[in-house]
Amino acid sequence: MVFTKFRMTHKLLLITQDNDLAKDIIALNSNKSVRANPVHVKRINQYGFLSNFTWNADNTKNDSPKRNKRQNNEEDLDEDEVFQICKSVTTLDDSRLVVSHIPAENEIVYTSRDPIKLESKVAAGGEGIIYTTNTPYVAKIYKKENNTKRKYEKIKLMLSKEIECEGVCYPVAALYNSNKEFVGYMMPKAKGKELQKSIFIKPLFLKNFPNWKKRDTVELCITILEKIKYLHDRNIVMGDINPANILVVSPKEVYFVDTDSYQVENFPCPVGTNNYTAPEIQRKHFSDFLRTMGNENFAVATLLFMIMLPGKPPYSQQGGEDPINNIIKMDFSYPFGDSSNKKTPDGPWRYIWSHLTYDLKKAFYNTFRKGGDYSTENTRLTADEWLPIFTYYLELLDSGKFGKQDKMSEKLFPTRHKKNPNVEYTTCKLCGNEVSENQCQNGICRDCLNKGEVYRCKKCGKEILYTNYQKYVKNAKRFDVCPECFEYGNKVRIRQNCVDCGRQFEITNNQYDFYTRKGFDIPKRCKSCRDAKKNRSYSSSGGYSSQTTHTTSSHNSGSSGSNGSFCFISTVICEYFGKDDNCVELSTLRGYRDNWLRNQPDGQQLIAEYYNNAPFIVSKLKTSANYTYYCQYLWDNYLQPCLVFIENKQFESCKGLYIEMYQYLRGIILKGGD
């Protein structure tokens, strides 16, 4: 009535979404008996613009906005929401479309009727460029070389169904240039962090989502599964389930992008990622076949696994083959019950796995392990079947039931295996983490014992690790030089004859470096002669002054005093058993050294090497955690037999056994053992 009255004097425009009212108002223009201004009716389209009402022959409105989201239940779906299932790839020509101009920033593109302005560039990829527009949507404009007839027909097919799921950036309209040539499509705007560059990399995970706990990753899986179920219910196969194409804002807000690659009807998904490709389709050309839901369900399981064990593919393992072969063989490394291939990767992964729920571990194991209940194309769990497993997991976490058993199960990155009720636990003094008592020494966990202070070798500058094990358990001092420099320093550099006694003596690299660094001449006398000269006890005939037998032994052995204070191996062992420095055993061994061994062709060389290394070996032996064991072992297996050989005048046998003892100890010390 209002429009009938005022259209006589005014130009009127009605803006409405009411289809029937629009028809009635427009019908006023057909009244020929009244001279009046024409009236206009517009609607607000899905892009926020005013547009005309149009009707098909059956008087139903077309190009209507998709506003009412349908439920995800299969029984609620209409034919206009579900794609057909096809068996073979389209034969449609994939040649390039003839496009006279590819629009760019600040240019106009068109839907079927409405102009859309391309604003700023958001991103660029291999196929095209994403622009913001003067609508709530973004536009993907294909590069000329990627704009093909097959792509155009696929977009039209995708638009033929009413597909609308929050967070799935599905095409909403095809776009054309001013010459009505296809150039791209419109889609909802996405936001968030790439799954690949946030959740899957621990430092970025903790940086981007610092407050997340295990329940957040479980809820994230539920959110993703609900979107995948929506697509699968409509026979849409994602194909390339790629973590770079999933953006995360929060556990409840997730966006799927690059949806134009999805497989619909006979248009295949032409791309894929190895880790998410099922064993039966590995090494195939993706554009040559249509994926099945069974193929897709493998990719879904892999995605869920890599969210729960952030970024770790299910077939990564210790000492395995390349990832593709591991997938083809279905050689899954994580244990379930007593079943394990003993190749679980080192690091936090085995801890995270142990804290998952029994149901989830069972589902993963039976999906990824060859012969598992869900391991074949037709038996893999669907998104529908994964959902209750994760929903129950979330209920356990939110109710606190899971945390009651072990509070660490609520953490993203646990630092130990799930608690065993039959094991006692303690807190590590250094890191503060709970660990089982049998994995601690002196109240420090294994991980901390293997860590420590890093410093540099004083000679070569190489980094040396002074471990917490050496510091707190062995109470060992820091070495100034690395093992390589220590070995080099003890190697003989010069062999020459003493100018006084004529005996051959050796100068090591350490000794040579000391003399040259101090500006001293290289010695021409052996150490015994140098010591004798200092004490004024060396006679012109080259003999030793008449001191006690023990003093003579000390001089000849290169020790610094007459009381055995240089503490060589046999002395240390005798001390352990309460024997004094003048005991029968030590006197016998020194007499053997001075009266027989020194006069052998290789005797001087053996003694020199022994005196260069013995002090260091003795110092390590005395600070060893196994000091008692070694003293008893060396006494029983070396020193007592040596004394028997000397008593029976089997001097060569004694020599061989003593060398064996020396090499045994030297080998342990140089390898860093106890």
Side-chain angles (χ1 to χ4, degrees):
M1 292 174 58
V2 171
F3 270 75
T4 300
K5 177 180 178 180
F6 288 101
R7 76 188 186 100
M8 305 293 292
T9 56
H10 293 78
K11 295 179 179 179
L12 301 177
L13 165 66
L14 171 65
I15 301 174
T16 181
Q17 302 298 98
D18 189 319
N19 193 40
D20 293 330
L21 178 59
K23 286 182 183 179
D24 291 342
I25 297 299
I26 290 175
L28 294 176
N29 291 325
S30 61
N31 190 339
K32 305 295 185 182
S33 64
V34 179
R35 287 187 177 182
N37 293 308
V39 293
H40 300 276
V41 182
K42 298 281 186 179
R43 56 178 283 273
I44 301 174
N45 67 14
Q46 64 197 95
Y47 317 116
F49 294 143
L50 294 178
S51 65
N52 295 321
F53 279 85
T54 58
W55 290 271
N56 295 327
D58 61 357
N59 282 332
T60 60
K61 180 163 63 82
N62 63 14
D63 195 29
S64 61
K66 302 168 186 174
R67 295 192 179 274
N68 298 319
K69 292 181 174 63
R70 296 186 177 275
Q71 297 298 317
N72 290 351
N73 300 322
E74 187 70 39
E75 59 270 21
D76 292 337
L77 300 179
D78 295 331
E79 287 185 9
D80 61 353
E81 292 183 87
V82 182
F83 289 96
Q84 297 179 10
I85 297 176
C86 297
K87 299 295 184 183
S88 58
V89 175
T90 179
T91 58
L92 190 65
D93 180 27
D94 200 28
S95 59
R96 289 186 193 176
L97 292 175
V98 176
V99 181
S100 57
H101 175 66
I102 300 295
E105 284 182 340
N106 299 316
E107 294 191 53
I108 302 298
V109 291
Y110 300 86
T111 64
S112 56
R113 289 184 312 279
D114 300 306
I116 305 292
K117 184 179 180 181
L118 301 179
E119 295 183 339
S120 58
K121 181 166 71 172
V122 176
E127 283 194 326
I129 300 173
I130 309 295
Y131 297 94
T132 59
T133 68
N134 58 339
T135 76
Y137 298 90
V138 294
K140 181 174 182 176
I141 304 299
Y142 289 114
K143 295 176 181 178
K144 185 174 288 189
E145 62 271 19
N146 294 313
N147 197 357
T148 66
K149 183 177 180 181
R150 183 180 290 186
K151 191 157 292 183
Y152 179 36
E153 293 301 324
K154 182 179 180 181
I155 294 297
K156 287 198 296 183
L157 174 63
M158 294 180 78
L159 291 168
S160 70
K161 306 295 181 184
E162 292 190 16
I163 305 298
E164 185 176 9
C165 178
E166 186 174 349
V168 178
C169 299
Y170 191 86
V172 296
L175 293 177
Y176 305 86
N177 63 15
S178 56
N179 296 323
K180 298 183 179 180
E181 296 163 338
F182 174 72
V183 292
Y185 66 91
M186 296 263 285
M187 61 181 168
K189 189 182 297 183
K191 57 183 176 179
K193 305 286 185 181
E194 282 186 23
L195 194 62
Q196 179 68 54
K197 296 179 180 177
S198 57
I199 304 296
F200 285 6
I201 302 173
K202 182 178 178 180
L204 295 180
F205 191 172
L206 299 177
K207 177 183 177 182
N208 289 306
F209 304 107
N211 299 319
W212 276 34
K213 294 184 177 180
K214 181 64 71 177
R215 61 99 46 218
D216 296 292
T217 57
V218 174
E219 188 171 41
L220 175 65
C221 288
I222 293 172
T223 302
I224 289 173
L225 281 168
E226 287 172 345
K227 298 184 191 309
I228 293 174
K229 172 178 162 47
Y230 177 94
L231 296 170
H232 285 183
D233 286 347
R234 288 150 180 79
N235 292 331
I236 298 173
V237 176
M238 296 174 69
D240 183 28
I241 294 184
N242 186 334
N245 294 335
I246 299 177
L247 308 183
V248 180
V249 176
S250 72
K252 290 185 176 181
E253 187 176 359
V254 177
Y255 294 87
F256 290 5
V257 298
D258 278 356
T259 61
D260 57 331
S261 68
Y262 289 176
Q263 176 179 299
V264 289
E265 295 191 358
N266 59 355
F267 289 93
C269 173
V271 289
T273 308
N274 286 337
N275 282 331
Y276 300 86
T277 301
E280 63 271 13
I281 58 172
Q282 284 285 351
R283 298 196 175 106
K284 288 189 177 182
H285 198 264
F286 297 116
S287 60
D288 293 343
F289 68 97
L290 296 174
R291 288 174 168 93
T292 66
M293 279 297 178
N295 304 150
E296 177 97 324
N297 289 334
F298 177 88
V300 172
T302 301
L303 179 65
L304 297 172
F305 186 91
M306 294 181 68
I307 293 173
M308 297 309 297
L309 280 77
K312 199 67 173 175
Y315 290 101
S316 291
Q317 58 182 230
Q318 295 289 108
E321 299 184 33
D322 66 271
I324 293 179
N325 282 331
N326 288 340
I327 293 173
I328 292 173
K329 292 180 179 180
M330 300 197 76
D331 190 13
F332 185 63
S333 300
Y334 292 81
F336 183 66
D338 296 330
S339 302
S340 174
N341 66 359
K342 309 298 183 183
K343 298 178 184 177
T344 308
D346 283 335
W349 317 111
R350 58 185 71 207
Y351 297 150
I352 297 174
W353 172 264
S354 77
H355 283 269
L356 299 179
T357 62
Y358 175 87
D359 289 344
L360 188 55
K361 285 189 282 191
K362 178 181 178 181
F364 280 144
Y365 185 86
N366 281 288
T367 297
F368 295 120
R369 187 69 182 168
K370 190 175 183 66
D373 293 343
Y374 319 128
S375 61
T376 63
E377 183 176 351
N378 296 322
T379 60
R380 292 180 186 126
L381 296 178
T382 64
D384 239 350
E385 292 169 319
W386 281 110
L387 272 168
I389 296 174
F390 278 91
T391 301
Y392 180 60
Y393 195 167
L394 188 61
E395 289 173 0
L396 289 176
L397 288 166
D398 285 346
S399 67
K401 292 179 181 177
F402 212 51
K404 283 182 181 178
Q405 184 179 356
D406 189 341
K407 199 67 178 173
M408 192 170 281
S409 294
E410 298 175 349
K411 293 187 176 182
L412 284 172
F413 297 98
T415 55
R416 56 161 170 76
H417 287 92
K418 192 171 184 177
K419 277 186 177 180
N420 182 333
N422 300 319
V423 172
E424 291 294 327
Y425 290 83
T426 186
T427 301
C428 173
K429 294 177 181 177
L430 297 185
C431 67
N433 291 326
E434 270 191 312
V435 290
S436 61
E437 284 188 343
N438 61 5
Q439 292 185 356
C440 277
Q441 282 186 272
N442 291 7
I444 303 171
C445 69
R446 287 179 184 173
D447 286 344
C448 287
L449 286 174
N450 292 327
K451 298 174 184 176
E453 177 188 353
V454 177
Y455 62 100
R456 295 192 176 275
C457 172
K458 287 187 176 180
K459 287 194 173 182
C460 69
K462 179 181 177 181
E463 286 189 346
I464 306 173
L465 175 63
Y466 179 46
T467 66
N468 291 321
Y469 176 75
Q470 293 170 311
K471 183 176 182 180
Y472 295 110
V473 178
K474 297 181 69 176
N475 295 316
K477 295 181 179 179
R478 273 187 13 171
F479 298 121
D480 290 334
V481 297
C482 63
E484 291 80 7
C485 287
F486 175 79
E487 182 79 6
Y488 169 80
N490 288 318
K491 285 184 178 178
V492 175
R493 180 154 186 161
I494 298 173
R495 286 188 177 90
Q496 58 189 21
N497 294 323
C498 175
V499 297
D500 287 342
C501 69
R503 293 172 178 169
Q504 188 182 71
F505 68 97
E506 298 168 341
I507 295 176
T508 65
N509 286 315
N510 277 341
Q511 293 168 333
Y512 182 87
D513 291 343
F514 170 79
Y515 293 128
T516 54
R517 185 172 65 252
K518 294 289 187 179
F520 298 155
D521 292 335
I522 302 301
K524 297 178 182 178
R525 295 177 175 83
C526 67
K527 189 175 187 304
S528 296
C529 291
R530 294 200 304 273
D531 288 345
K533 190 173 183 180
K534 286 179 185 177
N535 295 327
R536 301 179 183 276
S537 61
Y538 187 78
S539 67
S540 59
S541 63
Y544 290 97
S545 61
S546 56
Q547 299 177 15
T548 66
T549 302
H550 178 69
T551 305
T552 304
S553 297
S554 298
H555 278 245
N556 287 340
S557 67
S559 66
S560 58
S562 61
N563 296 319
S565 60
F566 213 47
C567 230
F568 293 159
I569 298 168
S570 53
T571 305
V572 170
I573 298 169
C574 286
E575 281 180 354
Y576 172 78
F577 287 98
K579 300 177 185 295
D580 62 34
D581 194 58
N582 295 315
C583 66
V584 173
E585 290 85 357
L586 288 177
S587 298
T588 300
L589 289 169
R590 289 166 182 157
Y592 164 79
R593 175 194 64 199
D594 296 330
N595 298 322
W596 185 84
L597 180 60
R598 192 181 298 279
N599 296 318
Q600 301 308 304
D602 60 344
Q604 293 287 345
Q605 181 180 345
L606 289 172
I607 292 169
E609 180 182 355
Y610 176 81
Y611 291 153
N612 280 329
N613 293 306
F616 176 74
I617 292 173
V618 165
S619 68
K620 297 294 290 181
L621 180 62
K622 294 187 77 172
T623 58
S624 171
N626 296 315
Y627 172 66
T628 299
Y629 166 79
Y630 284 130
C631 286
Q632 187 67 55
Y633 181 85
L634 295 171
W635 175 261
D636 293 339
N637 294 279
Y638 293 104
L639 285 190
Q640 274 196 326
C642 278
L643 292 167
V644 172
F645 284 139
I646 294 171
E647 185 179 352
N648 295 326
K649 301 190 183 316
Q650 295 174 291
F651 300 134
E652 195 68 36
S653 298
C654 178
K655 169 186 167 186
L657 188 59
Y658 206 95
I659 290 172
E660 182 181 327
M661 177 183 73
Y662 165 75
Q663 291 174 340
Y664 164 77
L665 282 174
R666 187 169 178 269
I668 290 174
I669 297 304
L670 291 179
K671 289 178 181 177
D674 284 345

